[in-house]
Amino acid sequence: MKFRRITCCIFTGLLCFGATSLLGSEGSIKPVTPNASREARALLQFIYGISGKYTLTGQHNYPNTKDATTLDAAKYSGKTPAVYSQDWGFAKDGDKDAVSARPDIVKECIRQHKLGSIITICWHAVPPTADEPVTFQPRRDANAPKMLASVQGRLTDEQFSDVLTPGTKLHEHWCAQVDTIAVFLKQLRDANVPVLWRPYHEMNGDWFWWGGRRGERGTATLYRQMFDRLVNHHKLNNLIWIWSVDRPEREDRQFKDYFPGSKYLDIASLDCYGEFKQSYYEDLLEIAGSKPIVLGEVGRPPTLEILENQPKWALYVIWAEMVRMTKQEQLQNLVNDPRMLSLEDAAYIEAIAPYRDACGLPPLKAADSKPM
């Protein structure tokens, strides 16, 4: 297979990269965040360094489950996913998506970071018409609130406009909700943990309250508003910004209508629960320009045959509890291919070394990165 023929020169090339290529020229690749932390710059350098050469394996975990699905994925596939994915949650105590899990999420992200994982976080944000916690889907019973109190659903045009308008009650409430999340992102910053941050994911879809709005005061504007709040107001400098879309299956879901501008994203991401059409890949590459692309969420990961024609996916993340949707033999064949990078792989240990050095962490060793 082509992957195996090119593996030797790829691995040798990464060995030659070393700290000099990935970190010695820090000015060559800069995050969109002004004065980004050394750790964030190194993480983005690492993603650029593997793009087109390797694909990182990844696994999402529900907020209130720590690393449960990562452990299950490691057991099922025989290797530990290199990317540890989490969500800040939205739900009541005891729910798998509980907002009360956030302090534990911070602790687990720090632990995973030290173990050698790349950290990525999304947020099923609470609508500004409600207070935490909320449900995932709108309630249909007689006691359902009159204002939207769920992650899915739609604000009125007037409400959405108010969220974007300083001085309105909904804008102030939105600021307070984002400020709550900023507290936990700052805790990660203070622990020297950079984050692949993926806000308002699947924004070209119309199922989440933030999504599916085109035009000057649409979803892209809301994304830029969050960027401004976290970067300029809160001075968060440990975030690598991931702009995340779903498949452009309809005329009103085309990527260009939701693009916030190159200066607001470091990486472009596709969520794909279905066929990995070549057109999706090529359209995302076109709009991303020279920036890396990733698969932010998948139910089943792309096959080796798909990756032959779509080699620039720098990582994929299987959604929580979906790893067993892929046949075990097929998944094991995928993660054992030399192109794929999991926590135990020698190529990953070597390639991640400059990044860990920038984070003040010791190099990984094969014994350190065995399945958890």
Side-chain angles (χ1 to χ4, degrees), residues 111-131:
R111 188 180 80 89
Q112 292 287 337
H113 171 66
K114 291 179 179 178
L115 286 172
S117 300
I118 303 298
I119 307 301
T120 185
I121 303 177
C122 64
W123 179 29
H124 284 86
V126 177
T129 49
D131 292 312

Side-chain angles (χ1 to χ4, degrees), residues 186-244:
K186 287 177 181 178
Q187 291 174 8
L188 291 172
R189 177 200 63 193
D190 295 344
N192 300 321
V193 179
V195 175
L196 298 177
W197 173 234
R198 193 169 62 94
Y200 297 140
H201 57 287
E202 301 172 8
M203 65 171 56
N204 56 333
D206 57 6
W207 40 90
F208 295 130
W209 68 263
W210 59 78
R213 292 180 181 268
R214 299 181 289 177
E216 286 187 13
R217 291 178 62 78
T219 302
T221 303
L222 182 66
Y223 174 97
R224 289 192 293 266
Q225 182 170 283
M226 178 177 281
F227 182 96
D228 179 69
R229 190 72 182 176
L230 293 181
V231 171
N232 298 318
H233 179 79
H234 285 288
K235 308 300 181 185
L236 278 160
N237 65 350
N238 63 321
L239 306 180
I240 297 299
W241 285 79
I242 298 182
W243 171 68
S244 179

